[in-house]
Amino acid sequence: MHFPCRSVLPVCALLVAALVASPAVSGTLSDFETDAAGREENKSKKKKEKTDSDDAGDMCLDAVGDELCSSLCVSLHIEDFIKNVGVGISQGGSSSLNRINPGGLAAQENPDIVRKHGEALIPFLRADAGYQEVESDVKAWDYRLELGYGSAGFQFRYTAYNEKEPPDALRVSEYHVLYRMSVAPRLEIDLGAGAMILNGNQENSGLSITVPVLYHPTDFYGFEFRPVWSSINENDIQDFDLAMLFGRRYASIKAGYRWLRSPHQSLSGSEIGIALRW
């Protein structure tokens, strides 16, 4: 039998060339890392997206913002406003210290403010573990550790994202020093500053701030919102975590939703986990 080599060889050559020339398919985690930590890529995207109408809109918003700011400074006495905010922040921190000091004057006057061991707010030690499903082939395990004493605190959060197809991994670490304010015995608002680190194909890091808001009306349930704003290589990254907790003192089950967003990509999904505290 005569084999048509001359007719088959050109076809094979074309197939090989097409396979070699075709780019590798990137996955969800790779796309997010490139968008969140990329330098030139994101800058070029921003330039392409910005049009003349955007420039006109920005100028208009800037003008309106300047006008509003001038009006506020005149009508609301901005210096008094800043002083009131400073007083509130100072009192919130003092209240946190009073809550862990049963022998203090404030606790003696109002014993109900004293923090009980295992309460959700201003813990001495808290450990969280959770599982998140971002997509059918993208899962994440999340861990958070918080140490504190009254108004002073420190938290570390580590999230391991794994993708099946194509196989990939991304690690997100967040470190924050916290100033914890007991606005009320059942309401806590924190101010935090630190860093975010992305570790995937490369390692990139940047500054980060957080303002957690925790409301636990009883020991049996509560609501927690933990927003984080970070900047890596001039790219804005938002990490918002909203959860509801059910349980008792010392331990709770939590369920919620987490949004991790870069300028053009996101790793978002529902989550479930457990919180242990002392």
Side-chain angles (χ1 to χ4, degrees):
M1 178 183 294
H2 177 68
F3 188 75
C5 294
R6 294 182 179 180
S7 61
V8 172
L9 287 176
V11 176
C12 294
L14 289 174
L15 289 175
V16 172
L19 290 173
V20 172
S22 61
V25 179
S26 60
T28 301
L29 297 182
S30 179
D31 289 342
F32 180 86
E33 182 186 2
T34 300
D35 188 57
R39 300 174 186 269
E40 298 299 330
E41 298 88 343
N42 286 348
K43 289 181 180 179
S44 61
K45 285 183 181 179
K46 292 177 182 178
K47 290 180 180 179
K48 291 180 181 178
E49 291 176 353
K50 192 161 187 176
T51 61
D52 293 338
S53 60
D54 294 330
D55 293 336
D58 290 343
M59 293 176 62
C60 181
L61 289 175
D62 290 341
V64 173
D66 292 341
E67 184 65 27
L68 288 174
C69 183
S70 300
S71 300
L72 286 173
C73 290
V74 173
S75 61
L76 297 181
H77 304 288
I78 192 66
E79 291 184 4
D80 293 337
F81 174 76
I82 293 176
K83 288 181 180 179
N84 291 333
V85 171
V87 170
I89 292 175
S90 177
Q91 290 179 347
S94 297
S95 296
S96 294
L97 290 172
N98 290 334
R99 293 200 63 213
I100 62 170
N101 184 17
L105 180 61
Q108 293 177 5
E109 294 178 352
N110 184 9
D112 292 336
I113 71 170
V114 178
R115 180 186 182 274
K116 303 178 183 66
H117 290 309
E119 275 191 38
L121 304 184
I122 56 169
F124 294 100
L125 173 64
R126 172 168 168 171
D128 294 38
Y131 172 79
Q132 181 186 16
E133 182 169 331
V134 179
E135 295 179 358
S136 59
D137 63 336
V138 179
K139 319 291 183 182
W141 286 99
D142 178 59
Y143 309 93
R144 194 182 74 87
L145 179 67
E146 179 177 344
L147 302 172
Y149 184 85
S151 58
F154 174 80
Q155 71 172 6
F156 167 64
R157 187 168 190 176
Y158 177 82
T159 308
Y161 291 92
N162 293 289
E163 186 172 7
K164 289 185 178 180
E165 188 61 39
D168 202 359
L170 178 65
R171 306 294 181 250
V172 180
S173 303
E174 297 173 353
Y175 304 81
H176 293 103
V177 176
L178 301 175
Y179 179 73
R180 308 188 300 183
M181 298 176 289
S182 294
V183 180
R186 295 293 182 176
L187 176 63
E188 176 187 342
I189 299 177
D190 302 340
L191 300 175
M196 172 184 280
I197 301 174
L198 297 181
N199 197 332
N201 298 322
Q202 295 180 342
E203 182 176 304
N204 293 272
S205 61
L207 298 178
S208 178
I209 61 173
T210 182
V211 186
V213 179
L214 294 74
Y215 177 58
H216 286 258
T218 73
D219 290 332
F220 304 107
Y221 72 94
F223 305 89
E224 297 184 353
F225 178 52
R226 299 181 182 275
V228 175
W229 296 271
S230 305
S231 178
I232 296 180
N233 299 334
E234 299 183 5
N235 300 310
D236 296 330
I237 303 173
Q238 300 172 343
D239 184 2
F240 296 161
D241 190 331
L242 180 63
M244 186 171 186
L245 285 75
F246 304 91
R248 301 180 67 87
R249 286 163 51 192
Y250 297 102
S252 294
I253 295 174
K254 67 176 186 177
Y257 200 90
R258 184 181 182 185
W259 299 263
L260 181 60
R261 299 184 295 187
S262 62
H264 309 93
Q265 303 289 330
S266 67
L267 298 174
S268 306
S270 57
E271 58 181 356
I272 188 170
I274 188 172
L276 305 175
R277 53 197 173 248
W278 179 73

